[in-house]
Amino acid sequence: MILSRTPNPTILALCLALAPLTAQSLPDPARLDFRDGTDRIPDRATFEKLSYQGPEVMIDVGVAGVEFVKYQIEGLDTDRPQLYFINTVTHRAHMMFAQAIGLGGPGRPGGPGRRGGFGRGMPPGGAVGQMRGILAFRPLLVSKSGAAGMYTIEYEPEDDFPFRMVKRSVDMLVDKAPFLRGRIAYYPIGRRAEARWRKEKELYDAAGIPAFFPDDAYKNIAYLPLNVAKGVGRLRLMKPGEHPGVRDIVIYPTLPNEMPRVAGVLTEMRQTPLSHVNLRAVQDGIPNAFLRAASTNPQIRPLLGSYVVFEVRRDGFAIRAAQQDEVEKHFAALRPRRPQVPERDLAVRTIRSLDQLDFADAKSVGAKAANLAVLRKLGFAEGTVPEGFAVPFAFYDAFMHHNQLYARVKQMREQLGFAQDAELRRKALAKLRKRIQKCEVPAWMEEALEAMRRRFPAGTRIRCRSSTNNEDLPRFSGAGLYDSFTHRPDEGPLSKSIKQVFASTWTFRAYEEREFHRIDHFATAMGVLCHPSYSKERANGVAIGADPVYQSGHNYYVNAQAGHDLVTNPSAEATPEELLLDPTGPRGDKLVRSSSLIASGAHVLSRAHRDELRRALGRINRKFRRCYKRSRSAGAFAMEVEFKVTHAGRLVIKQARPWLF
């Protein structure tokens, strides 16, 4: 038989596919098109160009919502290893990248049918060492160097690389991406990798390579961006009793419960993201962050008392001195150019029960009352949403006219120096509020309020809550601007507490916010939501039908506190529970941080209450998405709810408003 001198093409292709790549035959990382990848990442800006953050992570579910760059190391067991940083925007998978640059092919490193790695992942004969890794950014954590922001490296779950290989990969990464120095940690994924890490822990400690585990994502946080934004203003370290102005970027040791509009916020104590102050920061688009030891930070301290440009980012903050023209342009751009006149329907002159109202009635009673009426129609168990009544805007308007109070407000605003002097405004508004509380209520109004009072069971303490025409709106939450009061059976006519709520229309913080947004003060109308007051609660809380804080994907974010201490207005030293609820069931729930008022690791909310809340949030999100006519293509939408667990153990939902994305 005569053998052909020409090789069989099929056999030749198979031989080539099975042949190991040598270091000399590897594609040169320096010659990569940036669309595919690069050989080095000189700075954070380049990392951002290469990185991906979102839900489309294929099999790498652990980095969903995390900013990451994939990389690949070839020939690690040779004297000329090659490191490839993958453009993860273009190539979400290592295999896609490898095939694009010529590393792919069945049986070859990077090709389909193989999972790279030493030991189990090495090609026959061990000619080429390959590591497929992920470089993930964890902006909230403190790195080994003490800086805010840590980068973790992780490999495939089957890989259990020995210390010497992890150490060499770290050295290569730091050499090609110098900004990683002192900020990198190894994340051993899977039981095999973790077991090997524990066995070799002393080597890691000696080399100064810290380890990262998932629970670390919520511990030892030195920086927490509550609202990512950029602001300009005068940097002030606030002392007790001091009042900030609209152009101040304030630093507080703890977060105050009441604060007028400011230009930016930094606190040295970790904040609750659902406090009224942070909700206002989100609404107003001002930067707000927790930063450990902010007042002594070397970047911040030299700038105290000066005008600065302050930016809160996911990966840290930036601050620098501002020029005067920057200051003026910034504030001119923030304010609306035209006056805004909020809608108010004064034709409705009767007090109605919540069961008589619907979403469209917000124009006569306010969104707070109307939204609660919607909640009562969602089929929740009896008692989940309180019964109550809505006092319409027409009552407030009639009261103001009856006592010539609109004229009084006009005189106050025309007072010499009122527009220029914040302290003068503060005192004048306090005087106005006292006057409002002393004014008489028209006889017809007194009669209507007492008729409503008689519809509550005898002895009921009635909670009277503000429900204006400029709060709880899709683009204006008005959180914390107005006040609510509880009327006790022994303190006289209900009108006493109603007048207190009316007077809160003119708090300094509310006036300043309306003035900044050019909202017509005389078109502002106060409705009052009345329902039974709760006492001796087991828990209070706020929840969002999304996770805008840690951006953990589809989870719901919850703050809960034991007893009657409010999440929205927490006491100085109390920190609430932070909880991530998985909409699909309790197995995915995550206790991020325990309440400071109970034992560490314990839950404020019982398993039954967590399950009830998770079901309610889904239902509320779906209903109000339709009410606000927000299609899924229109972008992110979620409702924020306030809830409590009563003394009897019932979960009560007492408010719902759109979260401001």
Side-chain angles (χ1 to χ4, degrees):
M1 182 173 64
I2 301 175
L3 296 177
S4 171
R5 293 179 178 271
T6 303
N8 184 299
T10 303
I11 296 175
L12 179 59
L14 181 61
C15 291
L16 289 172
L18 294 174
L21 292 174
T22 65
Q24 291 77 14
S25 65
L26 291 170
D28 184 356
R31 299 174 67 88
L32 288 178
D33 186 311
F34 191 81
R35 187 179 180 282
D36 292 318
T38 183
D39 67 325
R40 61 185 64 245
I41 307 180
D43 49 35
R44 169 73 194 168
T46 306
F47 181 90
E48 291 175 351
K49 292 177 183 177
L50 293 167
S51 67
Y52 172 76
Q53 184 174 12
E56 299 173 7
V57 294
M58 304 180 77
I59 64 170
D60 302 301
V61 293
V63 288
V66 177
E67 185 184 17
F68 67 94
V69 169
K70 290 193 171 184
Y71 62 91
Q72 191 154 321
I73 301 175
E74 299 285 346
L76 195 65
D77 61 344
T78 71
D79 58 358
R80 293 181 58 190
Q82 301 290 349
L83 170 62
Y84 304 84
F85 289 109
I86 300 172
N87 188 323
T88 313
V89 178
T90 307
H91 305 296
R92 205 79 79 243
H94 291 89
M95 183 180 70
M96 294 163 57
F97 166 76
Q99 291 176 334
I101 70 166
L103 284 174
R108 287 184 181 243
R114 253 191 91 259
R115 300 183 70 83
F118 279 88
R120 298 164 67 202
M122 285 182 64
V128 179
Q130 180 192 78
M131 299 177 84
R132 293 173 169 178
I134 293 176
L135 182 62
F137 181 51
R138 318 276 178 175
L140 309 185
L141 297 185
V142 184
S143 65
K144 179 173 173 284
S145 66
M150 176 188 288
Y151 293 83
T152 61
I153 59 169
E154 57 188 73
Y155 296 100
E156 298 184 7
E158 299 89 345
D159 295 330
D160 57 337
F161 297 116
F163 164 77
R164 63 188 179 86
M165 298 306 173
V166 175
K167 172 67 166 60
R168 192 172 189 190
S169 71
V170 169
D171 291 343
M172 291 182 68
L173 289 166
V174 171
D175 179 58
K176 299 295 185 180
F179 69 97
L180 296 176
R181 190 174 304 279
R183 303 181 70 182
I184 201 165
Y186 171 49
Y187 177 11
I189 294 180
R191 287 178 294 179
R192 288 168 57 91
E194 186 174 340
R196 186 186 281 270
W197 171 81
R198 294 190 184 283
K199 184 178 179 180
E200 299 180 323
K201 185 176 181 302
E202 291 184 3
L203 296 175
Y204 283 93
D205 292 344
I209 301 176
F212 166 84
F213 294 97
D215 284 349
D216 297 338
Y218 308 109
K219 298 177 181 176
N220 197 29
I221 290 178
Y223 169 76
L224 185 62
L226 279 299
N227 191 45
V228 175
K230 185 177 183 179
V232 177
R234 183 173 56 135
L235 189 63
R236 292 183 62 188
L237 178 58
M238 303 304 296
K239 298 176 182 177
E242 288 187 327
H243 302 297
V246 70
R247 293 192 171 205
D248 290 336
I249 293 174
V250 294
I251 302 174
Y252 280 100
T254 59
L255 193 66
N257 284 332
E258 291 188 7
M259 190 170 67
R261 185 186 176 97
V262 293
V265 182
L266 266 174
T267 62
E268 296 182 311
M269 176 175 282
R270 186 168 167 181
Q271 300 179 32
T272 164
L274 301 183
S275 69
H276 279 160
V277 171
N278 189 53
L279 295 181
R280 293 261 308 283
V282 174
Q283 167 194 286
D284 297 338
I286 64 170
N288 181 25
F290 153 69
L291 179 67
R292 188 179 297 167
S295 60
T296 58
N297 186 287
Q299 290 178 259
I300 292 174
R301 190 161 186 81
L303 295 171
L304 288 173
S306 304
Y307 277 94
V308 300
V309 178
F310 172 53
E311 184 174 6
V312 170
R313 303 169 179 165
R314 282 283 166 202
D315 60 329
F317 72 94
I319 191 167
R320 63 171 175 82
Q323 301 298 319
Q324 187 60 37
D325 64 331
E326 283 184 289
V327 177
E328 299 306 325
K329 288 179 181 178
H330 175 77
F331 284 100
L334 279 181
R335 295 190 73 194
R337 294 185 178 182
R338 297 178 180 177
Q340 302 185 74
V341 181
E343 181 182 17
R344 62 175 186 172
D345 179 0
L346 301 179
V348 177
R349 297 178 62 85
T350 57
I351 297 173
R352 292 172 291 173
S353 74
L354 294 179
D355 292 336
Q356 293 175 294
L357 302 175
D358 212 330
F359 185 73
D361 291 300
K363 62 180 181 292
S364 63
V365 298
K368 185 180 293 181
N371 286 1
L372 199 65
V374 173
L375 291 180
R376 286 190 55 79
K377 295 174 173 62
L378 291 186
F380 294 125
E382 184 67 28
T384 302
V385 181
E387 295 184 58
F389 300 87
V391 178
F393 297 151
F395 277 47
Y396 168 80
D397 183 66
F399 171 81
M400 294 290 285
H401 278 297
H402 181 78
N403 293 284
Q404 289 88 46
L405 288 167
Y406 285 131
R408 188 80 180 184
V409 171
K410 187 174 184 295
Q411 292 173 4
M412 176 187 71
R413 284 165 52 83
E414 292 172 349
Q415 183 180 349
L416 183 64
F418 182 86
Q420 296 78 27
D421 190 333
E423 195 56 35
L424 190 155
R425 288 197 300 278
R426 186 185 301 277
K427 292 177 180 177
L429 286 162
K431 187 176 179 180
L432 174 65
R433 292 195 301 277
K434 288 182 179 179
R435 184 180 184 88
I436 290 173
Q437 292 177 44
K438 293 178 180 178
C439 286
E440 69 172 9
V441 171
W444 66 267
M445 189 180 298
E446 191 81 70
E447 182 180 338
L449 291 172
E450 287 306 305
M452 175 185 68
R453 181 182 184 179
R454 289 192 294 270
R455 295 179 68 179
F456 287 99
T460 299
R461 297 164 73 247
I462 300 174
R463 187 67 172 165
C464 302
R465 302 172 63 193
S466 66
S467 183
T468 72
N469 59 347
N470 52 76
E471 62 181 319
D472 290 2
L473 303 176
R475 292 181 176 83
F476 192 90
S477 78
L481 294 184
Y482 308 102
D483 296 331
S484 300
F485 298 88
T486 298
H487 188 82
R488 302 187 309 275
D490 61 354
E491 61 176 320
L494 182 60
S495 59
K496 175 180 180 292
S497 296
I498 297 295
K499 286 190 294 183
Q500 288 178 298
V501 179
F502 285 172
S504 76
T505 308
W506 302 99
T507 63
F508 178 74
R509 60 188 182 275
Y511 183 91
E512 295 291 278
E513 194 72 19
R514 292 196 303 267
E515 187 71 12
F516 189 89
H517 286 279
R518 302 188 195 275
I519 294 172
D520 186 343
H521 298 287
F522 297 97
T524 295
M526 176 65 76
V528 184
L529 168 63
C530 298
H531 60 69
S533 177
Y534 299 93
S535 60
K536 300 181 180 179
E537 304 101 309
R538 294 187 187 181
N540 277 273
V542 183
I544 304 173
D547 175 20
V549 181
Y550 297 106
Q551 298 185 345
S552 59
H554 64 297
N555 292 323
Y556 302 147
Y557 178 82
V558 181
N559 276 172
Q561 186 57 286
H564 62 271
D565 198 33
L566 296 178
V567 166
T568 52
N569 290 300
S571 56
E573 301 303 321
T575 54
E577 171 181 289
E578 285 187 85
L579 176 68
L580 297 177
L581 284 184
D582 186 336
T584 64
R587 293 186 63 183
D589 290 353
K590 175 68 181 178
L591 180 62
V592 175
R593 181 176 59 161
S594 297
S595 161
S596 60
L597 303 183
I598 63 174
S600 178
H603 277 282
V604 170
L605 300 177
S606 69
R607 165 71 180 274
H609 288 140
R610 296 197 299 274
D611 286 343
E612 191 176 354
L613 182 59
R614 115 176 58 245
R615 291 191 297 269
L617 285 168
R619 194 181 301 180
I620 291 168
N621 268 357
R622 291 189 293 272
K623 174 62 177 178
F624 281 97
R625 181 183 283 276
R626 293 193 296 271
C627 287
Y628 286 107
K629 298 179 180 178
R630 290 291 300 271
S631 65
R632 297 199 174 274
S633 62
F637 176 85
M639 293 295 287
E640 173 215 337
V641 304
E642 291 187 24
F643 65 89
K644 56 179 70 229
V645 177
T646 67
H647 183 64
R650 177 180 294 280
L651 179 76
V652 171
I653 298 174
K654 66 188 190 86
Q655 185 166 330
R657 60 183 164 209
W659 176 255
L660 301 168
F661 281 98

